[in-house]
Amino acid sequence: MNYKVRVLPTRDVLMKTAEAAPIPFSPEAPALVLTLINAGYLINQEIISYMENEFGISEGKFVLLMALKTMPKGCSIKELAARVGVSVPTISVMLSRMRAQTHPLVAVRRMKGDAREKRVTITKDGLALLDQLLPGHFKRVMDFAGRLTPDEQKELLALLDKLLPKPEAK
């Protein structure tokens, strides 16, 4: 597949920008950020768009379903929001939409003994959707990552990990 990517500034343009910067500035820094943006754009085009176009499922809903797939007994809305990395109100809206579908992908039930607490589980339809989606999804992930050797993948993963914030120790 041939996807359009954003054009990166040339090294000459970046060097001139670095020389004119009011603070010490590396021309590699903006090139790095722009390249990461392009890589993210390609990931979206090659992997995420497939789920949306073929199965009508957003990246957020996919992440939510995958989280629930790993928890057969389900979890609380608050725990699910933390696992997915969104706020409780956001997860509540997502759950409402997923429950309102013709074939609901999730179920939300009140817990016995505490009517305020709700437990979220993936439905049979949610599992069936993942069973249909995952083979193609994993193939696309492997095709994208396969542009690098396994050693290059490990090296890039380690480098990218350095860019991400570390969770605070409790």
Side-chain angles (χ1 to χ4, degrees), residues 4 23 27 69 74 78 98 101 108 127-128 139 163 170:
K4 184 177 177 183
I23 58 172
K69 183 177 172 73
K78 185 176 179 180
M98 293 170 82
Q101 292 182 222
V108 180
L127 289 169
K139 180 182 182 330
L163 295 174
K170 292 184 180 184

Side-chain angles (χ1 to χ4, degrees), residues 22-65:
I23 58 172
F25 189 78
S26 163
E28 286 78 16
L32 169 68
V33 170
L34 291 172
T35 302
L36 287 172
I37 290 168
N38 273 332
Y41 178 77
L42 284 176
I43 290 168
N44 187 52
Q45 291 298 306
E46 294 182 21
I47 299 170
I48 307 304
S49 293
Y50 159 77
M51 290 187 295
E52 293 173 350
N53 296 336
E54 296 296 319
F55 297 94
I57 184 169
S58 68
E59 179 183 10
K61 289 179 183 175
F62 173 72
V63 170
L64 186 151
L65 288 175

Side-chain angles (χ1 to χ4, degrees), residues 65-77:
L65 288 175
M66 288 299 290
L68 288 174
K69 183 177 172 73
T70 65
M71 299 179 287
K73 294 183 180 182
C75 64
S76 70
I77 291 174

Side-chain angles (χ1 to χ4, degrees), residues 5-140:
V5 295
R6 294 177 180 96
V7 178
L8 298 175
T10 64
R11 183 157 177 78
D12 292 343
V13 170
L14 293 171
M15 286 300 290
K16 288 178 185 173
T17 303
E19 291 167 4
I23 58 172
F25 189 78
S26 163
E28 286 78 16
L32 169 68
V33 170
L34 291 172
T35 302
L36 287 172
I37 290 168
N38 273 332
Y41 178 77
L42 284 176
I43 290 168
N44 187 52
Q45 291 298 306
E46 294 182 21
I47 299 170
I48 307 304
S49 293
Y50 159 77
M51 290 187 295
E52 293 173 350
N53 296 336
E54 296 296 319
F55 297 94
I57 184 169
S58 68
E59 179 183 10
K61 289 179 183 175
F62 173 72
V63 170
L64 186 151
L65 288 175
M66 288 299 290
L68 288 174
K69 183 177 172 73
T70 65
M71 299 179 287
K73 294 183 180 182
C75 64
S76 70
I77 291 174
K78 185 176 179 180
E79 181 183 356
L80 184 59
R83 283 184 180 235
V84 173
V86 298
S87 67
V88 170
T90 299
I91 208 83
S92 295
V93 169
M94 290 172 71
L95 291 171
S96 293
R97 290 179 181 161
M98 293 170 82
R99 291 173 61 203
Q101 292 182 222
T102 305
H103 301 284
L105 303 175
V106 296
V108 180
R109 294 185 175 78
R110 295 200 183 276
M111 296 298 297
K112 292 179 183 175
D114 186 353
R116 295 170 297 170
E117 187 176 343
K118 296 177 182 176
R119 183 156 272 344
V120 184
T121 55
I122 189 169
T123 64
K124 288 181 182 178
D125 288 322
L127 289 169
L129 176 66
L130 286 179
D131 286 345
Q132 287 180 324
L133 181 152
L134 285 175
H137 173 71
F138 288 142
K139 180 182 182 330
R140 282 170 176 72

